[in-house]
Amino acid sequence: MIDEMIKYNEEFVRDGSYRRYAADKYPRKKLAILSCMDTRLVELLPAALGIKNGDVKMIKNAGGMITDPLDTSIRSLLIAILELKVTQVMVIAHTCCGVSGITPDRIRIHLKEHGITEEAILQMEQSGLDFNRWFQGFETPGEEVKRSVSILKNHPLIPSDITITGFVMDVETGLLEPVC
C-alpha cells in the first residue's frame, strides 16, 4: 500500500496537483480543531464544517481527547495559539467512537498478542507512564468532550481570551451537536 501511495505522490507532484492546496501557515479562520483520528472523519469533518486547506489547524488523536495537562495535544494547541494566531478552539468528538470501548486490560492483551512482554510494559510504567489512565476509554463522547474542554479552559498556560467549545459529530450525517 505504501508503494502505491509513493507512486501516486510522484505523479501528484509531477502534474502540479499540489498547486491547488497552497496555503499560509497561519489559519485563515484563526481556529484550531482537536478531533478524533477516526477514518470516517477524514473527509466528513471538513465537508460538514465547510473548511478548506489553510482554514484551520487540525489536531487529531485517538478519541479527540485531552488526557492530562501535559498532553501533547495541549502543546500543539499552545503553539497554534501563541505562534500561529489561533483565537478559537473546537474540541470535536463523534458518535460510535472506538476509543469509548477500550480498557487498559484490553490494551495489555493486544500488546501481548503483538509480542510485547509484560516486562516492557512494566518498564514503561516505571518510567512514569500511567498505563491505566493513558489507555482508558470513555463512557460517552459528550462527557469526554466536557472533560477535555474543562482541562483546556483551566490550563494555566492557555490564555483566558481563547474561546474553547466542545461538540459531538454524528458520523453518519455530519451533524454537529454543541456540548459545552
Side-chain angles (χ1 to χ4, degrees):
M1 181 54 67
I2 292 174
D3 290 341
E4 290 174 30
M5 290 179 168
I6 299 295
K7 260 182 133 165
Y8 179 89
N9 176 258
E10 290 167 354
E11 181 60 29
F12 178 85
V13 172
R14 190 172 25 261
D15 71 15
S17 293
Y18 62 88
R19 288 186 189 99
R20 67 178 156 174
Y21 299 100
D24 192 63
K25 70 178 178 178
Y26 299 101
R28 284 188 289 273
K29 297 186 184 285
K30 297 186 177 189
L31 173 68
I33 297 174
L34 171 64
S35 71
C36 185
M37 65 184 192
D38 193 289
T39 56
R40 296 167 289 184
L41 298 180
V42 171
E43 291 186 35
L44 177 64
L45 190 141
L49 299 180
I51 55 178
K52 306 281 185 246
N53 199 52
D55 282 349
V56 304
K57 292 297 179 185
M58 187 73 72
I59 300 157
K60 293 183 167 244
N61 67 32
M65 44 194 291
I66 302 292
T67 57
D68 62 59
L70 301 178
D71 191 297
T72 60
S73 294
I74 291 179
R75 176 183 177 273
S76 295
L77 288 169
L78 281 167
I79 290 169
I81 291 164
L82 302 172
E83 293 291 322
L84 302 171
K85 303 179 182 178
V86 162
T87 60
Q88 298 179 73
V89 174
M90 292 175 78
V91 177
I92 303 176
H94 64 91
T95 57
C96 305
C97 184
V99 174
S100 66
I102 69 166
T103 65
D105 290 338
R106 198 163 131 195
I107 294 296
R108 281 182 191 275
I109 290 167
H110 291 311
L111 285 169
K112 290 175 184 174
E113 288 171 350
H114 285 277
I116 306 300
T117 65
E118 184 65 30
E119 292 76 32
I121 295 169
L122 291 173
Q123 182 181 16
M124 290 301 298
E125 290 178 320
Q126 290 167 352
S127 297
L129 173 65
D130 184 342
F131 196 90
N132 289 329
R133 189 176 78 217
W134 212 43
F135 287 114
Q136 185 60 52
F138 52 82
E139 294 240 353
T140 70
E143 289 304 312
E144 185 51 41
V145 166
K146 286 179 188 175
R147 196 182 72 68
S148 293
V149 166
S150 177
I151 291 171
L152 291 172
K153 284 184 173 183
N154 293 299
H155 198 283
L157 300 181
I158 294 184
S160 61
D161 62 341
I162 301 301
T163 301
I164 303 168
T165 53
F167 303 86
V168 174
M169 179 172 277
D170 185 306
V171 290
E172 291 185 22
T173 67
L175 180 65
L176 204 61
E177 293 285 341
V179 174
C180 54

